[in-house]
Amino acid sequence: MSLTEINFDGIVGPSHNYAGLSLGNIASANHGGDPSYPRAAALQGLAKMRGNMARGLAQGCLLPLPRPNHALLTRLAVDNATDRALLAAAWSASSMWTANAATVSPAPDTADGRCHLTPANLSTMLHRAQEWPETKRQLDLAFADSAHFAVHDAVPGSFGDEGAANHMRLCEGHGTAGVEVFVYGRPGGKFPARQHEQASRAVARLHGLDPDRTVFIEQNPAAIAAGAFHNDVVAVANERVLFTHAEAFADQAGAYEAIRAKFPALEMVEVAASAVSLAEAIRTYLFNAQLVTLPGGEMALVVPEECRESDAVWSWCEAMLAGNGPIRQVIPVDVRQSMANGGGPACLRLRVVADPATVDSRFLLDDAKAERMEKAIAAAWPEQIDPADLGSDALARTVRAARQSLIETLDLPELG
Ligand code: SUG
């Protein structure tokens, strides 16, 4: 059995729009009210997936959820004349950010030797809290092989859980036992702390993690206040490497010490605030990168194009590459449509370490399938959505038909 890291990217849904729904997410607030381009957005996402496949990485996908969500509109008694934000919530394509779909503990880390997945309840934000039951339906299908996977229910919504966005894993190699790091926020700041400590601890227990290989650390309240609503906006890990901003954690030195005590092989790549301020890190999403191990063993950082356009960030990347640290390539990708809602390359993917042969192959990609998906998207996804269009019956029909065409392309009638 060969355990591989598979990135499951969320396909950007046909209702992708900018409604400014996420308090504390600076990009979402800044772009609220702008027109969106769902077709271009979904094609940008697929181009990123294709780039990673071309680099020899395993790629999967999760489908957009059914929108508009009529059940949510009914439960809130919302119609087109009531609050636009409530209406927009039911139209949100936010499930594209699959780093928030679930927390994943690979088989070598768990007591029963299966890969455990817990969908995130995303309970802090209405538009995201509606996601998990439909997300779970997809996880149940993709990871139906119960000899190798366990898919749990989300933890109760009183404890906010944001999934893999607030979780990191350090290991010698993906297929060996790792140390899992859960990063939570404390409430009380000007923006919500979306990951609660109790949720992190519950997920660790559900997954049967060994307390000697589990670490809980607190996000820096100043990072949350600066717009790092998820820890993966200021830190990312891969194998032995933790790539982090120097102001990511409440007690930075204490966090490194706690991780090193359980994972002595830790290699740090820390970016000083004097080189890249928290604000610039959050604007460019330098840390919301995919830190990946290429088939040859070299590590690459797949960053948003916005990083190349920032003097401070790009100078730091060039200096890093000129040195002899563990990250040997920096690869910019264009995911601007997602970035404008606060979702970079890392938000768009859920990492699952598994043997691809144990995953339902309908959720796995190759070039031929990616091409078929591109065709379906080019034919059916709306070109543009203005926030005022949300609520229109004609747009609702277009959005539903577009999703249906992708379901047919991927032969997933169970999701129709
Ligand atoms: O939850 N944006 C998402 C972005 C999620 C990014 N994910 C990670 N960092 N892993 C969020 O804030 C904006 C939707 C809107 O405003 O229409 C939004 O939900």
Side-chain angles (χ1 to χ4, degrees):
M1 169 139 133
S2 84
L3 296 181
T4 310
E5 178 176 279
I6 312 168
N7 285 287
F8 287 82
D9 278 47
I11 310 288
V12 179
S15 67
H16 160 59
N17 69 85
Y18 299 120
L21 296 178
S22 266
L23 176 66
N25 171 339
I26 311 283
S28 153
N30 286 348
H31 292 275
D34 286 359
S36 62
Y37 298 92
R39 190 184 305 163
L43 294 175
Q44 285 172 358
L46 265 158
K48 170 171 95 70
M49 293 181 231
R50 276 209 199 238
N52 283 339
M53 286 194 284
R55 286 173 204 112
L57 302 174
Q59 185 68 52
C61 69
L62 294 176
L63 274 72
L65 304 186
R67 295 288 177 267
N69 181 350
H70 290 294
L72 182 68
L73 294 172
T74 304
R75 284 171 70 196
L76 290 168
V78 172
D79 60 27
N80 289 352
T82 40
D83 191 328
R84 295 296 292 173
L86 294 182
L87 180 78
W91 284 74
S92 179
S94 53
S95 67
M96 70 174 87
W97 299 297
T98 50
N100 306 115
T103 307
V104 183
S105 296
D109 298 356
T110 68
D112 67 4
R114 295 186 296 168
C115 173
H116 284 245
L117 299 98
T118 296
N121 62 37
L122 299 168
S123 63
T124 306
M125 300 282 161
L126 172 68
H127 68 291
R128 304 227 57 185
Q130 66 186 320
E131 291 175 28
W132 84 261
E134 285 291 334
T135 298
K136 181 174 188 292
R137 271 183 78 192
Q138 294 197 40
L139 300 179
D140 281 338
L141 280 177
F143 307 108
D145 177 348
S146 59
H148 295 102
F149 298 101
V151 180
H152 301 270
D153 280 341
V155 304
S158 319
F159 304 127
D161 180 20
E162 301 283 322
N166 280 61
H167 173 258
M168 303 185 288
R169 179 169 187 256
L170 293 148
C171 54
E172 296 284 355
H174 293 304
T176 59
V179 167
E180 300 201 13
V181 180
F182 291 81
V183 189
Y184 59 87
R186 273 194 211 287
K190 70 171 171 170
F191 293 141
R194 291 163 64 166
Q195 180 71 38
H196 297 190
E197 180 179 358
Q198 286 307 334
S200 297
R201 291 190 182 274
V203 171
R205 286 193 298 273
L206 282 167
H207 291 192
L209 300 183
D210 178 349
D212 289 340
R213 289 191 284 112
T214 311
V215 182
F216 298 91
I217 54 185
E218 189 193 337
Q219 268 176 285
N220 183 358
I224 298 176
F229 51 97
H230 290 138
N231 176 66
D232 69 2
V233 171
V234 284
V236 60
N238 180 54
E239 295 185 330
R240 323 168 298 287
V241 176
L242 173 60
F243 174 48
T244 181
H245 192 272
E247 296 174 347
F249 308 116
D251 171 6
Q252 198 79 15
Y256 298 164
E257 230 171 84
I259 297 171
R260 199 166 268 123
K262 294 183 176 172
F263 187 73
L266 179 68
E267 264 185 69
M268 294 294 312
V269 179
E270 185 194 72
V271 181
S274 55
V276 178
S277 66
L278 260 183
E280 191 64 355
I282 290 165
R283 196 184 66 74
T284 58
Y285 267 34
L286 169 63
F287 298 93
N288 199 260
Q290 286 186 259
L291 183 55
V292 291
T293 306
L294 300 174
E298 220 173 56
M299 276 195 207
L301 194 65
V302 178
V303 298
E305 274 290 354
E306 283 80 350
C307 290
R308 183 153 53 182
E309 291 158 9
S310 158
D311 289 343
V313 169
W314 203 243
S315 306
W316 184 88
C317 289
E318 286 181 330
M320 186 237 348
L321 291 174
N324 57 2
I327 304 174
R328 300 312 322 141
Q329 293 185 37
V330 178
I331 303 166
V333 292
D334 178 1
V335 287
R336 288 183 201 277
Q337 281 290 306
S338 169
M339 282 286 286
N341 246 341
C347 297
L348 285 161
R349 61 89 179 95
L350 180 68
R351 298 196 276 192
V352 179
V353 171
D355 178 349
T358 61
V359 177
D360 185 324
S361 62
R362 295 175 296 174
F363 291 89
L364 297 176
L365 256 70
D366 57 22
D367 275 325
K369 195 186 279 187
E371 208 175 308
R372 290 201 299 280
M373 292 164 75
E374 281 162 358
K375 282 202 177 109
I377 288 164
W381 258 233
E383 190 186 345
Q384 179 175 339
I385 295 183
D386 292 303
D389 300 337
L390 302 180
S392 129
D393 288 339
L395 183 60
R397 280 193 296 277
T398 305
V399 164
R400 274 197 301 270
R403 179 174 183 272
Q404 191 55 36
S405 76
L406 190 64
I407 284 173
E408 283 159 22
T409 304
L410 297 178
D411 190 24
L412 279 162
E414 298 95 322
L415 297 176

